[in-house]
Amino acid sequence: MERWNGWGDPDHDVALPAALPGLLLHELGPGTPPQDALLADVLGAAPPPRLPAGDGFSTDALDRVLHARGQSFPDLVALRSGQLGTLPDAVAHPSSAAEVRALLERASAAGAVVVPYGGGTSVVGGISAPPGDAPVLTVDVRRMQQLHALDEHSRLATFGAGVAGPQVEARLRAHGHTLGHYPQSFERSTLGGWVATRSSGQQSLGFGRIEDLFAGGRLEAPAGTLELQPFPASAAGPDLRQAVLGSEGRLGILTDVTVRVRRLPEADVVAGAFLPSWDSAVTVARTLVQDGTPLSMVRLSTPAETAASLLMGGRAGRAMAAALDLRRLGGQRCLLLFGVTGGAGTVRSARRHVTHVVRAAGGVGAGTPIGRSWQRGRFSAPYLRNHLWERGYGVDTVETAAVWSSVPGLVERLEAALHGALEERVHVGTHLSHVYRSGSSVYTTFVFRLCPDPAETLQRWARLKAAALRAIAEGGGTLSHQHGVGLDHRDALPAEKGPLGMAALAALTTAFDPAGLLNPGKLLR
Ligand SMILES: Cc1cc2nc3c(=O)[nH]c(=O)nc-3n(C[C@H](O)[C@H](O)[C@H](O)COP(=O)(O)OP(=O)(O)OC[C@H]3O[C@@H](n4cnc5c(N)ncnc54)[C@H](O)[C@@H]3O)c2cc1C
């Protein structure tokens, strides 16, 4: 059972780092926790469903509430305040592609619209039930989670699209394989959701983004079934996998997904290093990726984020800070975490090379303890969001990617925009989370004070978000590196795609879904 109005498993909690409340109090002032709505009241207020129960439709109020919203900041405000907006009128839990097809036909006959639902971890409003006259059927695909086939010769695995991260890895590891796709939402997000949003895992530098891993599959659309065969390569015209990747439930429902897997690596190590300044750190990250060092991850924090991480690292963090001070790596130091995955020899030589590049830039190595600490907590940060809310602070992230020549300017512009968006202080920290030969992603977290009135909190968030999106566009970044478009980024998409691009996307949705049944309003109007 997932927590209904926040992140994660209610039986598994992660303690707030002891220094964090003090840091926020000092930087932002005291937080005022808003009053949370009670689940019983939310269930009691659910409007009568506009679809009949039975024949695959659940109209149970809890099922409808649990599928109403995702994990974006506006979703969190809605859930905590109990002002959920439109609820799905029914939820379906199909177990097969045939059942999905039957549901699409039944929804169409009932004049309903359909929201495909994976793990419900969208942070852009991707699974919200659309308002309007049409009843809403949410199709939760998580019963389709079997490993259907593993072709060890070709290193291809076919799963039901609703399989969540931990099951993907457990099933592959039982056969000595791995996918290596670890978004921070790993616990809960699904393979189909990863494809539908063009997801990126923390070790995408080594394992690839989902578009590199997605080999084929099956999509049930109102206009028919699309089978994508897992050819290793093909020149047979445009690659339709690319149309499905990032389609955000607008083209059809993925029922099976074939992915490219690997043998489990001998070693999977994360280590750290500190660089003396942001400029030197960015140069090191760029050098490492451009010279082809076989790394699975490069994660580089700005001086502000580095300082906050060391502070939150407790005694070990303080000891590290003191050691760095002694070595004259002072206030502008930046933490570089790098992953190496593969055979023992590869790991040794890659680490040697990183050490060489770091030292040449005036930095120092910090070894694997800091990396192991990151590995232990790699999926924990979202739990902290719950705690911060309960202390009166809101936290959200914005993310983008840009070419190397734009990255430093973009980071500066983005942080300045967030700092200046409200009349009061905002805590801001940035890291480069995924690096490429031509550029990098930029991932910025911001924390601000909540208001007692949810509408005012939303207004604050909207100002921060608008300022960030403007800075990203002006700084040469893409609208999203990994979170997708959904509702929250939809109106900014035409500026990136242009009129012809938007017309092509609209034509594609019409070809797959002529009556506009699927996830209306997400990705594009
Ligand atoms: C705390 C947190 C951390 C995150 N970290 C990362 C990260 O590191 N990297 C990253 O890439 N993203 C991250 N995300 C965003 C989110 O997890 C991804 O977008 C993820 O891919 C969504 O998967 P899901 O299964 O939860 O899909 P959902 O949220 O259920 O759906 C997302 C979209 O995909 C569509 N969809 C879902 N399943 C299907 C299907 N079977 N067929 C067709 N359409 C479908 C939905 O209609 C919707 O438009 C994070 C989110 C949270 C809350």
Side-chain angles (χ1 to χ4, degrees):
M1 173 82 176
E2 294 293 335
R3 188 183 168 131
W4 77 277
N5 65 353
W7 177 259
D9 175 354
D11 296 330
H12 167 75
D13 205 1
V14 174
L16 203 59
L20 189 53
L23 173 78
L24 294 178
L25 183 65
H26 172 72
E27 268 200 40
L28 308 183
T32 315
Q35 185 73 43
D36 279 352
L38 297 175
L39 179 58
D41 293 340
V42 172
L43 294 176
R50 296 169 293 176
L51 288 169
D55 203 11
F57 287 11
S58 156
T59 54
D60 172 65
L62 181 60
D63 220 3
R64 293 170 62 206
V65 164
L66 288 178
H67 288 85
R69 307 291 292 232
Q71 294 287 330
S72 70
F73 190 80
D75 289 335
L76 193 62
V77 174
L79 290 163
R80 291 283 188 155
S81 65
Q83 297 168 21
L84 264 61
T86 309
L87 292 187
D89 294 280
V91 181
H93 301 269
S95 306
S96 67
E99 285 182 28
V100 169
R101 174 134 299 284
L103 284 167
L104 289 177
E105 281 159 16
R106 208 178 148 211
S108 168
V113 296
V114 174
V115 177
Y117 185 105
T121 68
S122 168
V123 279
V124 289
I127 50 88
S128 302
D133 293 337
V136 180
L137 173 69
T138 291
V139 177
D140 178 334
V141 299
R142 284 178 292 184
R143 282 196 187 148
M144 296 190 288
Q145 41 116 321
Q146 291 77 14
L147 172 59
H148 294 306
L150 175 62
D151 174 351
E152 299 198 26
H153 283 296
S154 316
R155 303 259 162 93
L156 290 171
T158 302
F159 285 96
V163 64
Q167 285 79 44
V168 171
E169 281 302 317
R171 286 177 196 152
L172 290 175
R173 280 164 191 247
H175 298 275
H177 287 76
T178 179
L179 180 63
H181 190 74
Y182 306 109
Q184 196 188 49
S185 57
F186 178 76
E187 280 179 20
R188 206 174 137 177
S189 53
T190 63
L191 185 50
W194 297 342
V195 173
T197 59
R198 296 190 86 97
S199 161
S200 192
Q202 291 161 340
Q203 286 166 271
S204 70
L205 182 56
F207 291 100
R209 285 167 62 92
I210 201 68
E211 58 255 42
D212 307 310
L213 303 172
F214 175 48
R218 181 188 177 102
L219 182 90
E220 294 295 347
T225 300
L226 181 72
E227 294 273 5
L228 295 163
Q229 297 185 57
F231 299 121
S234 167
D239 184 350
L240 291 175
R241 284 172 318 145
Q242 292 295 337
V244 172
L245 281 156
S247 56
E248 300 196 9
R250 288 299 304 258
L251 301 187
I253 300 185
L254 278 158
T255 57
D256 301 310
V257 174
T258 301
V259 280
R260 301 180 173 124
V261 299
R262 299 169 188 235
R263 296 292 301 169
L264 263 175
E266 223 178 288
D268 189 14
V269 175
V270 178
F274 287 88
L275 280 306
S277 66
W278 180 238
D279 281 353
S280 64
V282 172
T283 303
V284 164
R286 181 170 58 76
T287 305
L288 291 174
V289 64
Q290 288 180 343
D291 72 10
T293 316
L295 300 177
S296 59
M297 181 184 96
V298 167
R299 189 182 192 279
L300 180 66
S301 295
T302 56
E305 194 175 272
T306 301
S309 303
L310 288 173
L311 191 69
M312 287 190 287
R315 195 181 303 166
R318 285 196 298 278
M320 176 66 76
L324 292 168
D325 286 342
L326 282 178
R327 300 187 69 164
R328 300 225 167 90
L329 252 75
Q332 293 306 302
R333 61 194 166 216
C334 294
L335 171 61
L336 170 78
L337 289 171
F338 61 96
V340 200
T341 305
T346 308
V347 171
R348 254 194 320 276
S349 71
R351 284 190 65 186
R352 250 198 318 268
H353 181 65
V354 175
T355 304
H356 170 74
V357 174
V358 163
R359 284 199 184 137
V364 295
T368 50
I370 197 164
R372 278 200 297 275
S373 159
W374 176 84
Q375 280 174 307
R376 276 195 302 277
R378 66 193 294 183
F379 306 127
S380 299
Y383 286 87
L384 304 184
R385 224 171 50 159
N386 300 336
H387 288 295
L388 289 178
W389 182 278
E390 282 143 23
R391 286 168 186 263
Y393 301 104
V395 51
D396 199 11
T397 58
V398 283
E399 43 81 49
T400 179
V403 296
W404 282 115
S405 43
S406 301
V407 166
L410 173 55
V411 171
E412 210 173 302
R413 197 185 275 264
L414 177 55
E415 291 204 335
L418 286 166
H419 279 302
L422 302 182
E423 287 77 32
E424 63 178 48
R425 288 183 72 178
V426 177
H427 174 83
V428 180
T430 297
H431 59 265
L432 308 187
S433 54
H434 302 76
V435 295
Y436 305 88
R437 278 174 194 265
S438 60
S440 170
S441 69
V442 172
Y443 189 94
T444 298
T445 303
F446 56 95
V447 188
F448 61 105
R449 294 203 296 176
L450 300 173
C451 304
D453 174 5
E456 271 180 52
T457 294
L458 267 183
Q459 272 171 20
R460 286 183 154 210
W461 172 84
R463 283 165 65 189
L464 288 157
K465 181 83 176 180
L469 289 184
R470 229 179 0 259
I472 286 172
E474 288 167 6
T478 175
L479 188 52
S480 174
H481 166 263
Q482 62 197 54
H483 288 164
V485 179
L487 284 178
D488 296 349
H489 296 156
R490 177 190 65 187
D491 293 341
L493 190 64
E496 183 159 328
K497 299 289 185 207
L500 180 57
M502 291 307 292
L505 282 179
L508 202 59
T509 59
T510 305
F512 280 77
D513 178 20
L517 197 72
L518 284 163
N519 219 5
K522 315 297 166 40
L523 184 63
L524 63 164
R525 282 187 186 273

